[in-house]
Amino acid sequence: MSPALPALFALPAPRGPALRPAKPMTVLSYGLGADSTAILLMFLEDPVRYGLEPDLSDLIVLHAVTGNEWPSSLSYVDRLVLPLLAKRRVRVVQVARVGRSDSDGVLVLDDSRATRRIHQAGPWRLSDWLLTGGTVPQMASGRRTCSIRFKGWVLDHWAVAEFGRAPFRRVIGYHAGERSRMEKDTKIQDRLNERAGRIICEPSYPLVEAGMDRDAVEAYVLERLGEPIQKSYCTFCPFSGVCASRERHEARLRERPDLAAEALMMEYASMALNEPMSLYGTRSLYQQLAEDQANDAVLTAFEERLDEAPFSLYEVRRLYLPGRTKDCRHHHGNRCARPQWWCRTERSAACRRHHAVGGGSDAAGAEAAPQCAGVDDTCRGKPVKGQAWRSVRTVWEGPRLEAEFTLLDWSREEGVRLRRGESSLINRLHYLERGEGYPAAEAYLVAAPTGADDKNRESFDRKWAEITGLFGTRWEPVRPLVHRPIRRVSRVVPVIRPSGVAHVPALEAV
């Protein structure tokens, strides 16, 4: 037998059967309402059709506890939905914020395959955040800050702790009439995936794919659970016009005058500190309820609660700072070291037409900065609005009636008449009126329910003196100002589970 010829190259070692990639888990963001409940019932009815395992072992129902859900929504899910999930051993996870700071982390309130109840609240409720801030829910850049802070942020960080870098499928309950919301959500997730350089999660919208609008969703849930389901939203939600009709919303408030009074108290405190800051922007919840005599019991409950609440006199100072024009950002970059007049004031169309820069570009080839001195008034457009800074200091505490009498006495001492808010009808002692343009400043004293935090940023008093020539507050605060350092989450977020604390990588900010 001839000797074996030497191998030209090393052969790879034999391998076993190829391993299939792990199937991504499916996470249903469960908001307790009709849309997400309908999806849940669809999954229970035919899991394989929706890409799930027959035993639903790859499904996680994830709920963010805001602390201010309607009790009727909690009861509906407890009675009719949770028993179905427990019977099929579906995993249900409930999470909530731990505190006011992101670095306080996320608390896992419950993680079970036999869940019996939805938690009413966690350690830090949405209403806690709003009341201490003296405000109401708002929109920022087209997004609801309350939803981002108490739902999206909590759910995202739990997912990082749960899955690490493994992708998962995220199911959202948008119905067929909310295609624009679905498209916006998809774009946001695509951007997050692109920035991460990997697939964090893939969004899924079963109701849109099934062509089910809101009416079809409600009919589907009613047919399977035997009771109509109400919209799920916070009791004081200013977007209740989207969540439910005005008639339905006011009917729920009449059923629970105690919760209605809480919402009205929040709005009252917010408008006391900032007149335009009502729940519905140009109109207040109080104004809407007062239009219907059927709401008289609700308004009475609110007035009684207002009379019983401890009150404070707050000295509110506000600075309206100038912003930067597009010209300034273009020519001076992120920081403007030597501002020109056109850095804070828009150039008029006439100025741009008649005072164009000679040559059109500088030596480097970039568009040259404007050379107009702004002497001609026709060149100057409107000043650009920048940030508004607010200082709130408590200068007196006591019962409501005494607070109002004290405010009246101090107005007489100052020689300044009280002025009543146009919408709120709340009296204020304005000792500094806001001027035109930017920068501008205003200051007043107002009586409101106790609860808003004392605050002003460290540089506020320096800027206040620079703009107004005044130093500090006019009345002595009842307590020293506590500066809470801003603890920015950069690398780790604590996710607190029943078994202990796990530090996990944080998501990048959008």
Side-chain angles (χ1 to χ4, degrees), residues 242-319:
V242 176
C243 299
S245 68
R246 175 177 172 180
E247 291 76 16
R248 289 185 182 182
H249 179 56
E250 292 186 9
R252 295 182 91 168
L253 292 174
R254 287 193 291 271
E255 291 173 1
R256 291 297 303 265
D258 56 328
L259 299 180
E262 283 186 6
L264 288 165
M265 287 283 287
M266 175 182 292
E267 179 180 65
Y268 186 96
S270 174
M271 295 183 73
L273 299 180
N274 190 3
E275 175 72 19
M277 199 59 69
S278 64
L279 276 168
Y280 300 124
T282 56
R283 288 177 58 78
S284 68
L285 173 62
Y286 187 95
Q287 288 174 315
Q288 288 201 8
L289 294 177
E291 293 174 351
D292 190 342
Q293 289 184 350
N295 298 320
D296 286 351
V298 169
L299 299 181
T300 299
F302 162 60
E303 291 295 343
E304 291 175 351
R305 181 157 185 168
L306 203 59
D307 287 337
E308 296 170 357
F311 258 62
S312 297
L313 291 181
Y314 296 101
E315 182 175 354
V316 180
R317 295 177 294 159
R318 191 172 282 108
L319 291 171

Side-chain angles (χ1 to χ4, degrees), residues 28-226:
L28 169 62
S29 297
Y30 190 41
L32 310 183
D35 297 328
S36 52
T37 296
I39 294 174
L40 196 48
L41 295 174
M42 292 159 65
F43 286 175
L44 293 174
E45 190 171 292
D46 191 353
V48 176
R49 177 182 178 184
Y50 297 100
L52 296 166
E53 293 296 318
D55 63 356
L56 296 166
S57 58
D58 55 343
L59 172 64
I60 301 174
V61 178
L62 182 61
H63 172 60
V65 177
T66 64
N68 298 104
E69 184 61 68
W70 285 99
S72 56
S73 293
L74 299 175
S75 173
Y76 187 98
V77 173
D78 288 351
R79 291 183 297 106
L80 302 177
V81 179
L82 293 185
L84 300 178
L85 299 182
K87 183 178 180 180
R88 299 288 295 275
R89 304 289 295 169
V90 175
R91 183 182 174 192
V92 178
V93 180
Q94 301 178 61
V95 290
R97 290 187 69 98
V98 174
R100 72 173 72 213
S101 172
D102 288 355
S103 60
D104 293 331
V106 175
L107 176 64
V108 179
L109 297 169
D110 190 36
D111 187 344
S112 171
R113 294 187 181 273
T115 304
R116 295 184 177 181
R117 70 181 180 95
I118 297 296
H119 284 263
Q120 186 175 20
W124 183 249
R125 303 182 303 165
L126 172 57
S127 56
D128 297 331
W129 177 54
L130 296 170
L131 289 169
T132 56
T135 188
V136 291
Q138 302 170 40
M139 296 281 285
S141 303
R143 304 176 70 187
R144 302 176 187 179
T145 53
C146 51
S147 294
I148 294 172
R149 208 172 159 78
F150 282 80
K151 290 186 177 181
W153 183 89
V154 175
L155 299 179
D156 287 344
H157 284 286
W158 173 88
V160 174
E162 180 72 15
F163 302 117
R165 296 182 62 85
F168 63 98
R169 179 172 63 148
R170 179 172 59 95
V171 180
I172 302 294
Y174 293 141
H175 59 71
E178 298 178 304
R179 187 170 292 273
S180 61
R181 294 184 68 189
M182 179 203 75
E183 292 171 350
K184 181 179 179 180
D185 182 73
T186 301
K187 289 180 180 178
I188 291 174
Q189 190 58 57
D190 287 345
R191 186 164 67 247
L192 288 171
N193 289 343
E194 183 179 355
R195 290 184 59 179
R198 62 184 179 87
I199 300 298
I200 298 172
C201 74
E202 295 182 353
S204 175
Y205 314 95
L207 298 179
V208 176
E209 294 168 5
M212 296 175 65
D213 61 12
R214 178 68 188 185
D215 290 339
V217 167
E218 290 185 351
Y220 181 87
V221 175
L222 175 60
E223 180 183 354
R224 280 152 181 79
L225 297 183

Side-chain angles (χ1 to χ4, degrees), residues 426-478:
I426 296 173
N427 286 322
R428 296 179 182 83
L429 192 170
H430 286 261
Y431 70 84
L432 181 63
E433 299 287 350
R434 178 180 174 180
E436 296 292 331
Y438 304 98
E442 67 174 344
Y444 53 82
L445 193 67
V446 65
T450 298
D453 285 344
D454 283 15
K455 67 175 184 179
N456 64 253
R457 61 183 71 201
E458 293 186 13
S459 57
F460 183 93
D461 285 321
R462 176 183 57 79
K463 200 73 174 178
W464 176 259
E466 177 185 317
I467 293 173
T468 67
L470 303 174
F471 296 90
T473 57
R474 178 161 296 195
W475 291 274
E476 185 67 24
V478 298

